[in-house]
């Protein structure tokens, strides 16, 4: 299981360095300035692989309960686990009932991260961004030959014909693949229907915008996955217009939290990529 070994070696090699950088930041970071005006706009980022929805939902809850009049989603993510992506999408759907939401594709808005963004009032994409990849995949390594070389033999006690579906210890049997394909297809149908409903697209023409097609910003606009092409400035201006704030004041991001998110995103990607599972990506 060399992929697990590589992940553990990565964490072991860089953990002390990352911890040292965090300590330096805490020591030398300037004190927070006192905000004279209450912020009325807020930016929430989705960066890196989607593994958990916990922090995102916490920020959405903060935006709902505060003086915030509008939320900008800044997206640069290839997607990730299905359940958290759906949870984030539903959170945005609830939030937009109370205040406007604009999603901005900073670099990549694909699969799970696109799913999370579909209910935004407007989706703006950087001209060089990649959009779409509306699809679902379940993957696993087959370590049967490696196990044999190491002298490892599988022992299983189970109840239920499909209990070992997705096992990495041997090749999957035809009925196991069929079971997984059923799960994949049902999840994919849900994904496509939600995109069609949120974006006002014809589900009967889903092959044009779904089927895991990857689009440039221009291509995504042609098939209706985004509303406009522009910069982060354009996305902010769109949110200011929708939220009708006369004096826009953006909520300042916590610098420590921002740094920690970047570091954890890199480590999380290495760990996440090593294991199998159902992914919108």
């Amino acid at each position: 299981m060399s992929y697990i070994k590589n992940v553990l070696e990565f964490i072991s090699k860089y953990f002390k360095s990352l911890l040292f950088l965090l300590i330096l930041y805490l020591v030398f970071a300037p004190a927070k300035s006192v905000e004279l005006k209450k912020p009325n706009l807020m930016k929430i980022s989705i960066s890196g692989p989607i593994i958990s929805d916990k922090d995102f939902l916490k920020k959405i809850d903060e935006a709902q309960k505060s003086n915030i009049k509008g939320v900008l989603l800044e997206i640069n993510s290839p997607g990730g686990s299905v359940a958290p992506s759906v949870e984030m999408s539903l959170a945005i759907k609830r939030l937009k009932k109370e205040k406007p939401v604009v999603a901005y594709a900073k670099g990549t808005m694909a699969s799970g991260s696109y799913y999370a963004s579909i209910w935004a009032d407007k989706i703006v994409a950087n001209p060089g961004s990649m959009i779409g990849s509306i699809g679902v995949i379940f993957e696993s390594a087959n370590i049967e030959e490696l196990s044999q070389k190491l002298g490892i033999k599988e022992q299983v006690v189970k109840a239920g014909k499909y209990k070992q579906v997705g096992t990495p210890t041997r090749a999957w049997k035809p009925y196991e693949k069929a079971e997984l394909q059923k799960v994949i297809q049902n999840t994919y149908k849900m994904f496509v229907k939600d995109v069609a409903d949120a974006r006002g697209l014809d589900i009967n023409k889903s092959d044009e915008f779904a089927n895991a097609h990857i689009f440039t910003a221009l291509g995504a606009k042609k098939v209706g996955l985004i509303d406009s092409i522009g910069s982060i400035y354009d996305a902010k201006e769109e949110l200011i217009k929708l939220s009708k704030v006369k004096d826009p004041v953006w909520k300042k991001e916590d610098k420590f939290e921002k740094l920690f998110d970047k570091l954890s995103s890199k480590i999380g990607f290495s760990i996440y990529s090593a294991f199998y599972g159902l992914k919108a990506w």
Side-chain angles (χ1 to χ4, degrees), residues 45-51 74-81 85 88 104-117 130-133 265 269 280-281:
S45 299
I46 301 177
S47 179
I50 297 173
I51 303 171
E74 186 180 75
I75 316 293
N76 189 12
S77 166
S81 298
S85 300
M88 294 160 75
Y104 176 66
K106 183 179 180 180
T108 301
M109 182 189 279
S111 206
S113 70
Y114 182 74
Y115 203 153
S117 311
M130 303 298 288
I131 315 292
S133 189
S265 177
F269 181 79
W281 121 318

Side-chain angles (χ1 to χ4, degrees), residues 14 20 36 45 50 61 81 83 96 101 108 122 129 141 144 165 169 177 205 210 226 230 234 241 270 273 279:
Y14 294 106
F20 177 70
L36 299 178
S45 299
I50 297 173
D61 188 55
S81 298
K96 70 171 288 187
V101 179
T108 301
K122 297 288 182 181
S129 61
E144 185 175 7
V165 165
T169 59
K177 287 184 178 181
K205 297 180 179 180
I226 66 172
D234 299 312
K241 182 175 71 174
S270 299
S273 299
K279 304 168 186 174

Side-chain angles (χ1 to χ4, degrees), residues 14 18 65 79 136 154 164 178 195:
Y14 294 106
L18 297 176
K65 295 179 179 179
V136 185
E154 180 185 28
Q164 268 192 294
V195 170

